[in-house]
Amino acid sequence: AAIALSVTADASVAPVITQQPVDQTVTAGNSATFSVSATGTGSLTYQWFKNGTAVAGATQSAYTISAPTSADNGTQVYVVVTDGSCNTTPSQMAVLHVTSTTSQACDVNKDGTTNISDVQLEINMALGITACTADINKDGVCNILDVQRVANAVLGGPCVSP
C-alpha cells in the first residue's frame, strides 16, 4: 500500500517596512507625527508603542503626540506592523526631541544659553536702547557693559551719564 504525503507551504512573508519612522524635534506644545510605510500580504494593521508600552488607539500608519512637554523629551516610539496572516515586523525606534519655548525665547543674543546678558538685553530693548553707541567705560570696545551704563543712566542711576 502506498502512502501519499501532502505538504502545504505557507507562502506568506512578514510585512516589509519601506519607510521607517524618523526622529522628530519640536518645540514644547507643538505636535509631533511619526509615520511608517509598509507592504505585505492582505490588509496591514499597526500598533504604536511609546517607551515600550502599546498606545491605546494608535493603530494607524501615523501616530501623533499632541502638545508634548519637556517631560516628553527623549520619548522612544516604534510601530509593529501585522499582515493578514499574523506575521509581524517591528519598525526601528524613533526619538522625540522636545525643545523648550522658554530657552529659545530668552536667548536674546543667540549664543545658545540664557543668562544675565540676555536679561540685560531684554531690559535695554524695553528702554529703547538697541545698540551700543559709545565706549562709555573706555575699555576700547563698545559692548554690553557700555549698553548697561546707558540703561543705568536712562533709569536715573547715579553711576554714569551717557
Side-chain angles (χ1 to χ4, degrees):
I3 298 177
L5 179 63
S6 175
V7 176
T8 304
D10 184 358
S12 65
V13 183
V16 174
I17 295 178
T18 57
Q19 179 185 333
Q20 296 283 346
V22 296
D23 293 357
Q24 298 290 317
T25 300
V26 297
T27 303
N30 293 323
S31 298
T33 300
F34 298 90
S35 61
V36 67
S37 294
T39 60
T41 306
S43 62
L44 301 178
T45 60
Y46 305 87
Q47 178 59 63
W48 286 90
F49 290 79
K50 179 179 174 182
N51 294 329
T53 302
V55 179
T59 56
Q60 302 297 316
S61 62
Y63 167 55
T64 299
I65 299 176
S66 300
T69 66
S70 59
D72 294 308
N73 187 46
T75 293
Q76 298 178 334
V77 299
Y78 68 95
V79 63
V80 174
V81 182
T82 305
D83 67 15
S85 299
C86 296
N87 297 306
T88 62
T89 302
S91 72
Q92 294 176 354
M93 191 80 63
V95 178
L96 174 61
H97 302 280
V98 181
T99 59
S100 169
T101 55
T102 304
S103 65
Q104 289 180 346
C106 293
D107 185 13
V108 178
N109 64 3
K110 307 295 184 219
D111 66 356
T113 63
T114 299
N115 54 36
I116 192 65
S117 294
D118 298 302
V119 174
Q120 186 59 56
L121 287 168
E122 283 283 334
I123 292 168
N124 294 346
M125 288 188 291
L127 293 172
I129 304 165
T130 58
C132 185
T133 57
D135 182 15
I136 295 170
N137 67 355
K138 308 295 183 210
D139 65 356
V141 180
C142 189
N143 58 30
I144 188 69
L145 297 173
D146 300 303
V147 174
Q148 170 57 41
R149 288 180 176 233
V150 171
N152 187 41
V154 169
L155 292 172
C159 296
V160 68
S161 58

